[in-house]
């Protein structure tokens, strides 16, 4: 659709383009892109700047591939909700019924719901407590027989259900739950059960060799991420950080949620699951991570909400 059909002022898009181009010119950004839609029709899909940090780099294109990092958690939450719909999991299920590692006095009360809402007590991401020398949770895997034991090592910073604390380690655990409940390795499950049915043809955990030159990277470290073809046996599922995708593919998943769980003739979630994911599931839950001091935090099932602090439906 056109900008006018989208009900958007074309001059505002020009102002946005000028702003982003200025940031690129000042060296604050390497590149930028955006996609806008209304009523299921894309009316703006643009990109500017360079695809890579190297001299002579080609331009970033609207369909360039990019690491999505923690947006991967969105896919994980969808996968969990699909398995709940199939009766293979339930929200208040104790994680210990799927993963024996959790069958301890300290961890046995942790539930799938608490992992989805970052209220499990599993250690939060580096720097959450403004510690001066944070360590990434996956760095603690060394020296342990398996990664789940490493994630659960040490005390819980708070009792399950007591506080919100953003935990990528908790979502790695959810990825393992998806694997065991479905019988399909987490990464394959996401591609086969979510990405491909929605026509997300440029979404991968492993970027194919013939598309490596179309991936946006900002440094050499990201180049290494694109070529992650190592043996994953015994390693955490990339359920909190691992997918590569494009703006249009990500739009398809977002539009699926706006459509109540369906897109392009494919249904991946029920309407009720979408409603549950996109309304506040917490009431009276505190958070103190990254300097916050909220006494009533809002969060959906795996999704952050731009919602009031009081518990009420939101989308």
């Amino acid at each position: 659709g056109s900008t006018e059909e989208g009900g958007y002022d074309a001059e505002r898009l020009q102002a946005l383009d000028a702003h982003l181009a200025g940031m690129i010119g000042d060296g604050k950004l390497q590149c930028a892109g955006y996609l806008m839609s209304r009523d299921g029709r894309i009316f703006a899909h643009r990109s500017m700047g360079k695809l890579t940090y190297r001299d002579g780099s080609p331009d970033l294109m609207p369909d360039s591939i990019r690491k999505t990092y923690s947006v991967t958690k969105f896919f994980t939450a969808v996968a969990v909700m699909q398995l709940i719909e199939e009766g293979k999991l339930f929200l208040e299920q104790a994680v210990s019924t799927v993963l024996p590692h959790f069958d301890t006095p300290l961890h046995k009360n942790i539930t799938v719901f608490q992992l989805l809402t970052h209220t499990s007590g599993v250690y939060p991401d580096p720097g959450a407590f403004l510690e001066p020398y944070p360590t990434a949770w996956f760095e603690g895997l060394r020296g342990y027989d398996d990664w789940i034991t490493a994630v659960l090592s040490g005390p819980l910073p708070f009792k399950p259900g007591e506080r919100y604390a953003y935990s990528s380690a908790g979502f790695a655990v959810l990825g393992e739950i998806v694997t065991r409940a479905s019988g399909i390795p987490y990464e394959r499950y996401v591609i086969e059960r979510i990405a491909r049915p929605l026509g997300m043809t440029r979404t991968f955990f492993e970027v194919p060799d013939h598309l490596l030159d179309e991936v946006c990277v900002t440094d050499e470290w990201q180049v290494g991420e694109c070529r992650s073809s190592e043996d994953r046996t015994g390693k955490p599922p990339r359920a909190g950080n691992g997918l590569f995708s494009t703006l249009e593919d990500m739009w398809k998943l977002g539009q699926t949620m706006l459509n109540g769980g369906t897109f392009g003739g494919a249904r991946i979630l029920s309407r009720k699951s979408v409603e549950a994911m996109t309304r506040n599931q917490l009431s009276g839950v505190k958070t103190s991570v990254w300097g916050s001091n909220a006494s009533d935090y809002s969060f959906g099932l795996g999704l952050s909400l731009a919602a009031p602090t009081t518990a009420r439906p939101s989308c």
Side-chain angles (χ1 to χ4, degrees), residues 5-7 36-43 251 255 258-259:
E5 290 172 331
M36 298 181 186
S37 74
R38 185 177 185 184
D39 298 330
R41 298 186 68 188
I42 297 171
F43 64 83
W251 166 76
Q255 190 63 49
L258 291 173
N259 293 346

Side-chain angles (χ1 to χ4, degrees), residues 232-288:
R232 300 289 307 173
T233 303
K235 295 189 176 182
R238 289 167 285 187
N241 168 13
L243 268 178
F244 291 81
S245 191
T246 65
L247 287 175
E248 186 168 357
D249 272 11
M250 293 304 303
W251 166 76
K252 291 176 182 178
L253 181 56
Q255 190 63 49
T256 298
M257 301 295 283
L258 291 173
N259 293 346
T262 184
F263 181 87
R267 176 169 290 281
I268 64 166
L269 283 176
S270 70
R271 176 177 58 85
K272 286 296 185 181
S273 288
V274 172
E275 290 175 357
M277 293 178 72
T278 55
R279 69 171 176 260
N280 184 23
Q281 294 287 341
L282 304 180
S283 179
V285 173
K286 298 179 180 180
T287 183
S288 56

Side-chain angles (χ1 to χ4, degrees), residues 123-137 289-291:
Y123 211 80
D125 280 20
F129 300 121
L130 304 182
E131 62 270 27
Y133 306 112
T135 299
W137 67 268
V289 292
W290 292 298

Side-chain angles (χ1 to χ4, degrees), residues 26 63 86 209 211 237 281:
D26 291 341
D63 66 346
E86 295 171 8
D209 288 345
L211 293 177
Q281 294 287 341

Side-chain angles (χ1 to χ4, degrees), residues 226-242:
C226 301
R227 303 177 184 276
S228 180
S229 57
E230 60 182 343
D231 182 10
R232 300 289 307 173
T233 303
K235 295 189 176 182
R238 289 167 285 187
N241 168 13

Side-chain angles (χ1 to χ4, degrees), residues 79-80 83-91 93 98 112 177-178 181:
V80 170
L83 294 170
I84 288 172
E85 289 184 3
E86 295 171 8
K88 296 178 180 178
L89 292 172
F90 60 96
L91 271 179
Q93 183 171 356
V98 183
V112 172
I177 290 173
V178 168

